[in-house]
Amino acid sequence: MQEPETAGAAGAPISSETIETLLNRVSVRGFTDRPVAPETVDAVLRAAFRAPTSSNIQAYSVIVVRDPEIKRQIAPITGNQPHVTAAPVFLAFCADLTRIAHACRRHGHDIADNNLEIGLVSSIDAALVGMSAYLAADSLGLKGVMIGAVRNDAVATARALGLPHRVYCVFGMCLGWPADIPKQKPRMAFEALVHQDRYGVLRGNCTMVEEVADYDAALAAHYGSVGKPTTPDSWSHEMDRKFVPQLRDDLRAQLRALGFDFR
Ligand SMILES: Cc1cc2nc3c(=O)[nH]c(=O)nc-3n(C[C@H](O)[C@H](O)[C@H](O)COP(=O)(O)O)c2cc1C
């Protein structure tokens, strides 16, 4: 008889250190005063730079922000999220087209009026480096949270970080030694997210509508258990509030001003 997919050879659940790390991951927003050594951040980033990169473009740069004054400039852009100033280290993961622009210039070309593909792949590259850095940091006991709110005003973030033309901050990351580890937020059911061979062929015959309703209830129960006010249709309500009206609707114009045309 074939082993069930969730079981190893001896019937034990399939697991590994990396799988356990991922299964236990949670965003952490509270940090102790313990400093994070520059060598530690360097080690984390060196590992992260081994992330795959589309066609080897390596179209990212990371700004390691420790200066409280620069963190104080970034915080209001993020809606004054307290962890942005409280974290010992704030990493800014940037899509960076400057080196590609240089390479093309050497061949008599420019990348003015650049298209969606280069904007996307550089942003994907930065995201892969960011998550890899998070996992490398976590393996040392560091914790943190990603900060997409830097894109509330991408131009102001670029100014605060001194980013040149054709560099934008895709997201930031607060990093430090955790003061406490919050309770994990539930995720949508595995069955709702994984399709077999073709979209819509879900395991267990669940429907998207049922899965969202179940998740609304699970998230409402979670928020109830941690004392966070919510509605019975917690997740659906959050999504509606977040995306209607459209979030960061001026982002395209802002990124264009920074040299990403997304044409
Ligand atoms: C790209 C990205 C941007 C995020 N931006 C913020 C942010 O600005 N502020 C914040 O507190 N959390 C931010 N988060 C964290 C999410 O809110 C969090 O991952 C999500 O609620 C799920 O919770 P968990 O990570 O604890 O499982 C961000 C996460 C990602 C991936």
Side-chain angles (χ1 to χ4, degrees):
M1 201 179 79
Q2 228 180 329
E3 293 289 343
E5 283 167 322
T6 52
I14 293 172
S15 194
S16 70
E17 225 174 286
T18 306
I19 287 176
E20 286 306 310
T21 300
L22 283 163
L23 286 174
N24 289 318
R25 197 209 59 79
V26 57
S27 292
V28 171
R29 299 174 176 84
F31 305 99
T32 68
D33 291 338
R34 184 179 161 194
V36 180
E39 300 75 27
T40 304
V41 176
D42 286 356
V44 161
L45 292 178
R46 274 183 212 289
F49 292 150
R50 295 308 313 179
T53 159
S54 182
S55 305
N56 201 25
I57 61 173
Q58 302 170 68
Y60 43 72
S61 289
V62 182
I63 322 291
V64 181
V65 181
R66 292 174 177 278
D67 184 340
E69 177 48 36
I70 297 181
K71 287 191 268 175
R72 260 196 299 275
Q73 288 174 29
I74 293 170
I77 300 168
T78 69
N80 290 316
Q81 297 188 39
H83 32 279
V84 170
T85 42
V89 177
F90 181 87
L91 299 176
F93 292 93
C94 301
D96 183 346
L97 303 183
T98 59
R99 292 179 294 267
I100 294 177
H102 166 71
C104 295
R105 216 177 299 120
R106 287 182 61 195
H107 290 83
H109 302 123
D110 73 38
I111 57 165
D113 192 24
N114 53 72
N115 70 5
L116 178 62
E117 173 65 11
I118 200 166
L120 266 187
V121 290
S122 55
S123 304
I124 292 168
D125 264 25
L128 294 175
V129 166
M131 186 60 200
S132 302
Y134 188 95
L135 284 177
D138 189 286
S139 73
L140 300 173
L142 289 162
K143 303 283 176 188
V145 60
M146 294 179 180
I147 303 294
V150 290
R151 284 177 278 106
N152 288 342
D153 189 337
V155 172
T157 298
R159 203 178 303 123
L161 293 170
L163 304 183
H165 196 56
R166 299 216 170 96
V167 183
Y168 88 95
C169 182
V170 184
F171 60 94
M173 187 189 294
C174 301
L175 207 59
W177 304 103
D180 52 27
I181 308 286
K183 192 175 167 192
Q184 263 192 331
K185 214 179 263 185
R187 286 291 193 264
M188 297 244 177
F190 180 85
E191 288 73 18
L193 307 177
V194 182
H195 305 248
Q196 305 301 323
D197 292 322
R198 288 173 62 79
Y199 192 95
V201 185
L202 297 169
R203 280 193 216 173
N205 292 326
C206 62
T207 68
M208 181 272 285
V209 172
E210 289 162 348
E211 290 296 351
V212 169
D214 284 356
Y215 187 63
D216 280 340
L219 193 61
H222 166 77
Y223 283 146
S225 76
V226 296
K228 187 175 167 185
T230 188
T231 57
D233 65 341
S234 185
W235 183 82
S236 296
H237 189 78
E238 274 182 21
M239 294 306 109
D240 181 61
R241 252 196 0 211
K242 198 166 178 77
F243 293 111
V244 183
Q246 295 277 311
L247 182 67
R248 299 176 190 139
D249 218 11
D250 59 346
L251 187 59
R252 179 190 289 269
Q254 289 213 349
L255 294 186
R256 188 166 282 156
L258 295 174
F260 289 74
D261 296 309
F262 284 98
R263 176 173 56 72

